[in-house]
Amino acid sequence: MTPAIAALALAGCGSIIPTGNSGGIGGGSAASSPSGTSQTYTRTAPPRMASAPQSVAPRAEDAACLTNLSNAGARFNPLPDTYAAPGCNKLGTVQLSALAGDTSQFGISNIGAVQCRVASAFGDWARFGVDRAARQLLGSPLARIETMGSYSCRNVAGSQRRSAHASAEAIDVSAFVLEDGRRISLTEDWDGGTAAEREFLRVVHSSACKRFGTVLGPDYNRAHADHFHLEGTGSSFCR
């Protein structure tokens, strides 16, 4: 399940590197220079051509999380660690493509890099908090979760503090699509949906508060009227 990277291949033979200027020291063959002095050269081995992509082992602290995410039925690719700017990085992240419910898998739209531990919490929430609520309250399994993204190198609005999105620790969820074709969105249905749809959104919001460190929704402020902000893990702040 780890990503594959192609080995760098160079054309032609190996390099020839001077290693000395007299007496053949260094074990290479001696050749005469224009000045008549002897210079030793060592021929390096040509770079190996990879016959198959080589995998990159995850960091030790991420390996268990990746295993758990795989065992939970998620489909994903681990991503390389990168730094974009001060306070902006993607460390121990994955690219999710699908999550598992009790009886089927469902997709995620518009999501980018997200830290593995947040992805794991997201998968558990989607299965136990969203899919089950959709079947019980709305009579249809979940088909897809629509997001407004995850990683983004930016500050918290109106501040000089980096957002959790800047370290891929947050996901913004805007809507849920059911297998029967219905689309339940925060914008349309938090206040304007049917009684069952409004209850569904509040149940999944409450469920998120049990799995993420920070959960913000329409009742928090106008900036979150159209999405749930799901950040970190544990339980600390829920609005």
Side-chain angles (χ1 to χ4, degrees), residues 171-214:
I171 304 170
D172 288 341
V173 172
S174 57
F176 307 90
V177 179
L178 308 184
E179 284 190 2
D180 64 10
R182 279 179 290 171
R183 179 177 181 272
I184 315 301
S185 75
L186 275 293
T187 301
E188 299 293 330
D189 300 309
W190 181 260
D191 291 320
T194 65
E197 290 167 347
R198 296 195 304 271
E199 182 182 5
F200 165 76
L201 289 175
R202 282 157 178 81
V203 165
V204 299
H205 175 271
S206 177
S207 177
C209 293
K210 300 174 183 178
R211 299 183 183 277
F212 298 93
T214 298

Side-chain angles (χ1 to χ4, degrees), residues 4 15 21 23 38 43 66 83 102 107 113 116 148 156 163 170 176 179 199 214 219 226 230 234 237:
S15 308
N21 56 12
S38 176
R43 182 179 295 275
L66 295 174
Y83 296 84
D102 290 331
C116 181
M148 300 171 69
V156 174
S163 165
F176 307 90
E179 284 190 2
E199 182 182 5
T214 298
D219 286 343
D226 58 355
L230 312 177
F237 189 82

